[in-house]
Amino acid sequence: MSGAVNVALFPIPSLVAFPGTVVPLHVFEPRYRQMLKDCVREERMIGVCHTRKTIRAAKQNQTLAEAMHSNQATYQPQAVFSAGYCTIIETLEDGRLLAEIRIEQRLQIISEIQSLPYRIVASIPLLDEPLEDSQQLAANADLQARINQRLVDLIGPANPAFATLVQGSEWQALAPEEFSFQLFQTLRFDPDVMQMTLEARSSAARLGIILDLLNQ
């Protein structure tokens, strides 16, 4: 399919990643250690995705040494995820990897290319609907301002540094699309709600979801 890109998948239950954020990883499973090394060498993106269900559960009561030498649970990934390129920060003496993925874009699975030892999928970018008109842009700016004020009201008293960040010029200058993703570098909600937010096809939809969550 035109525009499709092959991406290796790292399914992690309850982890929803958004463009513009950084995902730190501590990787011990053999298949995923191999995946990270392969993707760095081949310059292939890695998709970090929330899961739909467990296909095969991990064995119970394993030691770290046992987990280091056997694959753990296998999951069915969500069809929409975010991906970016991996940097291996450190390889520990026992082989575990400390790494990070700088998330660049949202993607949607089209088909599976490889299932073992780790999953590779063909995917296409998940883009927002065409740019909104001036009235919608104004509405987005209003939603963004209301979210920022709500964040200050809710979190500011307990975390003055966060309030300073939200009220700073750099944060205030974020475009609605970037803002609606970047917010999740700091905040965490129910993973299924975050997945719904990730799949939303406009800044207005994402901002509306976020404001509703903050008002609950």
Side-chain angles (χ1 to χ4, degrees):
M1 176 178 293
S2 177
V5 57
N6 291 349
V7 179
L9 284 189
F10 199 153
I12 304 176
S14 300
L15 199 160
V16 181
F18 290 82
T21 63
V22 178
V23 177
L25 296 173
H26 174 196
V27 184
F28 56 89
E29 280 189 64
R31 58 180 164 178
Y32 292 126
R33 283 186 280 152
Q34 187 62 52
M35 182 183 77
L36 264 62
K37 293 175 184 177
D38 291 346
C39 288
V40 168
R41 184 183 66 252
E42 298 167 8
E43 298 184 342
R44 171 177 285 144
M45 285 198 297
I46 296 176
V48 179
C49 58
H50 183 28
T51 59
R52 292 185 175 183
K53 65 178 182 180
T54 301
I55 297 173
R56 180 179 60 80
K59 294 180 180 179
Q60 298 296 313
N61 303 317
Q62 296 181 81
T63 66
L64 176 59
E66 290 170 333
M68 284 278 297
H69 292 89
S70 63
N71 292 327
Q72 302 300 299
T74 299
Y75 302 100
Q76 179 182 1
Q78 290 283 352
V80 173
F81 61 94
S82 294
Y85 292 96
C86 176
T87 299
I88 296 175
I89 306 299
E90 184 179 359
T91 301
L92 302 181
E93 289 184 4
D94 59 9
R96 285 175 292 159
L97 300 179
L98 302 181
E100 64 181 22
I101 299 177
R102 295 190 172 274
I103 302 297
E104 295 185 2
Q105 60 179 309
R106 294 182 298 169
L107 296 164
Q108 183 169 8
I109 296 173
I110 300 302
S111 62
E112 187 169 297
I113 303 298
Q114 170 185 300
S115 57
L116 296 173
Y118 52 83
R119 186 178 280 112
I120 296 177
V121 297
S123 57
I124 57 173
L126 182 71
L127 304 176
D128 276 355
E129 299 295 339
L131 186 64
E132 299 93 341
D133 58 25
S134 57
Q135 184 176 2
Q136 185 59 64
L137 290 174
N140 284 354
D142 178 65
L143 283 170
Q144 190 168 336
R146 290 164 65 190
I147 289 170
N148 279 331
Q149 186 58 55
R150 192 71 179 131
L151 289 172
V152 171
D153 293 342
L154 288 173
I155 302 175
N159 190 340
F162 180 76
T164 299
L165 170 68
V166 170
Q167 294 172 319
S169 58
E170 185 174 350
W171 183 272
Q172 293 287 328
L174 290 173
E177 179 180 17
E178 186 179 7
F179 174 81
S180 66
F181 292 139
Q182 188 67 31
L183 192 61
F184 294 101
Q185 183 74 29
T186 306
L187 300 180
R188 289 291 181 268
F189 298 105
D190 175 85
D192 291 333
V193 174
M194 291 176 68
Q195 181 68 32
M196 178 176 67
T197 307
L198 181 70
E199 296 178 9
R201 298 292 301 276
S202 71
S203 299
R206 289 188 295 275
L207 294 172
I209 292 170
I210 293 166
L211 185 58
D212 286 344
L213 287 171
L214 293 175
N215 283 334
Q216 290 176 8

